[in-house]
Amino acid sequence: MEHHRYFADIILPLPLQDTFTYFLTKEQFNQAQAGMRVTIQFGKRKLYTGIILRLHHEKPEGFDIKPVIDLLDENPIATVKQLQLWVWIRDYYLCTLGEVYKAATPSGLKIESETQVFSNPEFDDVGFLTEKEKRAYGYIQSQGSLSLQELSKNFEGKTIQHLVYGLQSKKAIFLGEQVKNHYAAKTVNVVKVHPDYDHEFKMLAVMDELGKAPKQQQVLMAFIELTGMSGEKPVKEVFQADLLKKANAGQQALKALEKKGVLRVEKKKISRLDRTEPLDDTRKPLTDNQQTAIEKIRQYFNSQKTVLLHGVTSSGKTEIYIQLIREVIDSGEQALYILPEIALTTQIMNRLHGVFGNKVGVYHSRFSDNERVEVWQKMIDPDKAYQVILGVRSAVFLPFHQLGLVIVDEEHESTIKQFDPAPRYHARDTAIVLAGYFNARILLGTATPSLDSYYNAQTGKYGLVELNERYGNVQLPEIKIIDVRSAYRQKTMRAHFSPLLLAKMQETIAAGKQIILFQNRRGFSPYIQCQTCGWIPQCPYCDVSLTYHKMLGHLNCHYCGYAQPMPNHCGACNNTTITTKGFGTEKIEEDLSLLLPEANIQRLDLDSTRSKKSFERIIGDFEAGFTNVLVGTQMITKGLDFDNVRLVGILNADNMLSFPDYRAYERSFQLMAQVSGRAGRKEERGLVIIQTSDPKNQILKDVLNNNYKNMYLHQAMERKQFGYPPYCRLIKIVLKHKQKPKVGEGADRLAKAMQKLIGNRVVGPVFPVITRVQSYYIKHIYLKIEKEKSVSQVKKWLRQEIGNIMTYDDLKGIRVYADVDPN
């Protein structure tokens, strides 16, 4: 039979280890390519969007093969190199291809039976639809919303996915995953002139009549200039925002002119990805140090593809990145610029867009699914693709065609590694593999390298280039360490501020300068306690105390999201002697409002940046000078560039240094050095005050002296002695079960099975610091594999043993996964 000759291995968006083979007709086979999407049936009824990994003529034996219902694409939506990367991630990070497929592609590129379909109320281009699409769109409109399965039953049968994707690409509908975004075309206000006044002389005549309305005159003059009315090629419209900015006028003046019939304001649909602002490619002159660094980077790129750029804070690394990106674009190649946090993309995007304009695209998870689909579709077309992509870790999954350079900025950050769900990939290491497929160059940049990267540079695996001076020879900040234990004993602390910090804050505000305060805990208080009996409210689902958030009036769990009202009496002894313990960013903000009543204070943490625009607003206010003091968590340490910050305060260094993790000292150095680097970045030298109960700690001395190398040598020596990365490869195995005895039994069996295979390289099982999260008890097992040993065989054994554990009847419900190179 014909279908016994044409087969495709399909990746499904499900956590399944292997691909599944389906047969195609000869016509389908001749059209199909790896990377194309197909409609397939999996199970008895469910339809999924799969993606072709491989086409072949090898019929699998032992089971019935189902047909590919429909080919959904004329061209692949994933490249061969992308699929190669997915397979590598599956094998290296011990996950499934389905998990990689789900993480790698936007939801709008894969739909299934239960996916809800909604009509777009803003859609008005019905004339662009085919007859079939018009009927389907009309039916969806009449129903309001329905699932893909319902649509299949009542309309077009099993080929409905093809139709749905067509309607989606034309913005006629949006999918269930996008309901929260309520897709609508993005619009901006544009200003046009009324036809009766479409000439410079007529406009000038109107201006003469507006002698007593100077603001309206300013708007008209600005309109004439922006449209180029007096020139040979005038434009017909200008953005309202640009017009009012140039005229230095408000909307009232524009509305008055609109009422008089001189100007018209209209809404115009624009692409979310389009930027039409003028370029401002003002090239900062490179210092001798920067020029030397670029030349060294180029030399390394000739012999080895990965280079670590170790530059002190404010040394001008971004300008080096821009210069290298410009060279890549000029050679017709693409550049990928990865940042660890969405928070950083706003500042860097403005800078890159000023230089490269619409050649730059942005990709991260705070974009709606519609926006991510738009970026993806643009990137898959070689003629339309962005030449520069700026994004967070998920940007490594985009379809590149001619990747020439990968920049991983702040490469030391832990957020560059995916934690949950799978695939638990490290974007830096994944980007290095991706670059290898294109023979592209990789530049890792940071002021505080990860020990792993610095070790690779020291052993010759990476090139190493160092920038030891700030741009413009600005001095590194002065750092003072304050012993708060002594200050508390002498009763000189006010709230959580030492006398020196409080005095310097008052001086800084009086001088018109700005302050950043770093406290690595959000909320008002880490916990509350009864002073009579010592009762502390705990989360009922996690083994942690609840954090008090005063603004919400709630106690919250930061692990599962559980919340309850703030109690007014003790849950154990019923007394009302409840007090807050410790302090978070919310408490600092409240204390400062009392101690510095004249200051404008804002808070930057997860709670204050829940909405899409809140981070940009807070950072924008601080950049514009409206905010005197910015209080924040780790978000403020991550490479932000502010000109007017004179003072940085680190309020409690101890809670970082005492964290029970082999990377605690490395992370503490990085956090403190990075937040210190926000001070005195332009002209005037900054001041950093670190409050601690342990002023003699060696890490604090290294921060004080900006001595990264000393920190590296001490930490490397300890890790070599105790067998931790970078001297071995580490795999963490996580087991979870709602019953404590069962998670213990499963962990013991798995540990013993692995000990038989790899001996004393197995450490544990052990309970982590937080033993229960979301009602699941947790145990960890660690595998330490020497660098010179093959880890691939160990991973093969581990995958097999994990599969065995999960099939035991007496351990039903146990969850097991591996985290390779855990953070």
Side-chain angles (χ1 to χ4, degrees), residues 141-398:
Q141 267 191 318
S142 69
Q143 298 298 309
S145 72
L146 68 169
S147 72
L148 193 68
Q149 197 163 18
E150 292 167 333
L151 190 60
S152 299
K153 285 178 185 174
N154 293 287
F155 188 68
E156 291 281 342
K158 290 183 178 179
T159 60
I160 192 66
Q161 279 181 297
H162 209 149
L163 209 53
V164 167
Y165 278 122
L167 290 168
Q168 184 199 15
S169 69
K170 295 173 182 177
K171 311 294 190 296
I173 62 169
F174 56 92
L175 306 181
E177 291 87 346
Q178 302 162 312
V179 172
K180 61 186 178 187
N181 299 313
H182 292 293
Y183 178 82
K186 185 175 181 180
T187 61
V188 292
N189 285 343
V190 294
V191 182
K192 299 179 178 180
V193 66
H194 191 280
D196 292 345
Y197 297 94
D198 193 10
H199 194 282
E200 183 187 4
F201 296 119
K202 293 180 179 179
M203 290 285 275
L204 292 172
V206 173
M207 287 182 66
D208 289 339
E209 297 170 10
L210 296 172
K212 294 183 179 180
K215 284 294 181 184
Q216 293 177 41
Q217 284 183 325
Q218 287 170 224
V219 171
L220 285 181
M221 183 56 72
F223 185 86
I224 291 170
E225 289 180 32
L226 288 173
T227 55
M229 263 190 168
S230 56
E232 293 181 10
K233 295 182 179 179
V235 296
K236 293 188 177 298
E237 61 188 35
V238 295
F239 288 124
Q240 177 180 298
D242 292 344
L243 177 64
L244 296 180
K245 184 177 179 182
K246 184 166 184 66
N248 191 25
Q251 288 193 13
Q252 287 180 333
L254 179 58
K255 284 179 179 177
L257 290 168
E258 195 177 7
K259 195 173 181 180
K260 291 171 181 173
V262 180
L263 298 179
R264 293 184 300 173
V265 179
E266 298 177 2
K267 287 195 178 295
K268 179 180 179 180
K269 291 182 183 179
I270 62 167
S271 166
R272 289 176 169 80
L273 311 175
D274 187 35
R275 294 219 176 207
T276 53
E277 304 99 287
L279 293 179
D280 177 25
D281 189 4
T282 307
R283 302 189 185 187
K284 292 184 180 179
L286 296 182
T287 64
D288 291 343
N289 282 343
Q290 286 175 313
Q291 195 60 51
T292 302
I294 283 184
E295 288 167 6
K296 285 183 179 177
I297 291 167
R298 290 189 190 117
Q299 288 171 11
Y300 275 123
F301 280 163
N302 290 330
S303 56
Q304 53 197 127
K305 296 299 181 185
T306 307
V307 177
L308 175 64
L309 176 59
H310 179 200
V312 297
T313 55
S314 196
S315 55
K317 294 185 288 293
T318 305
E319 289 303 316
I320 290 175
Y321 301 156
I322 287 171
Q323 179 63 40
L324 293 171
I325 290 170
R326 186 181 282 115
E327 292 170 11
V328 166
I329 289 177
D330 290 345
S331 68
E333 295 177 308
Q334 294 170 298
L336 169 60
Y337 190 141
I338 297 175
L339 290 161
E341 289 274 356
I342 295 168
L344 288 175
T345 58
T346 303
Q347 277 196 335
I348 299 296
M349 180 61 207
N350 291 338
R351 180 73 188 110
L352 290 185
H353 186 262
V355 178
F356 301 114
N358 281 337
K359 294 175 182 176
V360 183
V362 183
Y363 192 79
H364 56 62
S365 60
R366 281 204 189 168
F367 271 13
S368 70
D369 196 62
N370 301 289
E371 290 168 311
R372 279 177 281 164
V373 169
E374 280 188 62
V375 175
W376 189 286
Q377 289 173 336
K378 192 164 182 176
M379 287 297 290
I380 200 66
D381 185 341
D383 297 326
K384 296 179 181 177
Y386 292 109
Q387 288 182 272
V388 184
I389 283 289
L390 174 69
V392 291
R393 56 178 180 254
S394 58
V396 298
F397 292 122
L398 282 170

Side-chain angles (χ1 to χ4, degrees), residues 535-550:
W535 171 78
I536 299 172
Q538 300 284 311
C539 174
Y541 308 107
C542 310
D543 286 341
V544 292
S545 57
L546 296 172
T547 300
Y548 175 42
H549 289 254
K550 189 173 182 179

Side-chain angles (χ1 to χ4, degrees), residues 9-25:
D9 294 339
I10 308 294
I11 306 170
L12 303 179
L14 299 167
L16 302 169
Q17 181 56 39
D18 298 312
T19 56
F20 287 78
T21 303
Y22 288 77
F23 74 79
L24 304 93
T25 65

Side-chain angles (χ1 to χ4, degrees), residues 93 393 414-427 558-559 732 734 736 768 773-774 778 780 782 817-823:
Y93 290 106
R393 56 178 180 254
S414 58
T415 48
I416 218 159
K417 170 85 156 63
Q418 167 75 3
F419 175 64
D420 255 339
R424 297 171 179 86
Y425 66 100
H426 199 298
H558 287 176
Y559 286 83
K732 179 171 75 174
V734 180
K736 298 181 178 182
V773 174
Q774 295 179 343
I778 304 167
H780 292 167
Y782 293 89
Y817 66 82
D819 187 0
V820 179
D821 303 335
N823 266 337

Side-chain angles (χ1 to χ4, degrees), residues 768-807:
V769 178
I770 311 297
T771 59
R772 186 173 61 113
V773 174
Q774 295 179 343
S775 298
Y776 281 87
Y777 289 94
I778 304 167
K779 265 204 160 177
H780 292 167
I781 301 168
Y782 293 89
L783 307 184
K784 293 182 177 181
I785 315 300
E786 301 92 326
K787 273 286 178 78
E788 61 274 11
K789 301 289 184 184
S790 171
V791 77
S792 57
Q793 182 59 52
V794 174
K795 289 178 180 177
K796 187 176 177 181
W797 288 333
L798 177 58
R799 199 188 282 274
Q800 185 176 330
E801 293 301 333
I802 287 175
N804 291 340
I805 287 290
M806 295 178 76
T807 60

Side-chain angles (χ1 to χ4, degrees), residues 529-533 535 567-578:
Q529 186 174 26
C530 174
Q531 290 182 297
T532 304
C533 71
W535 171 78
N568 52 24
H569 57 81
C570 174
C573 70
N574 216 34
N575 273 300
T576 56
T577 54
I578 293 175

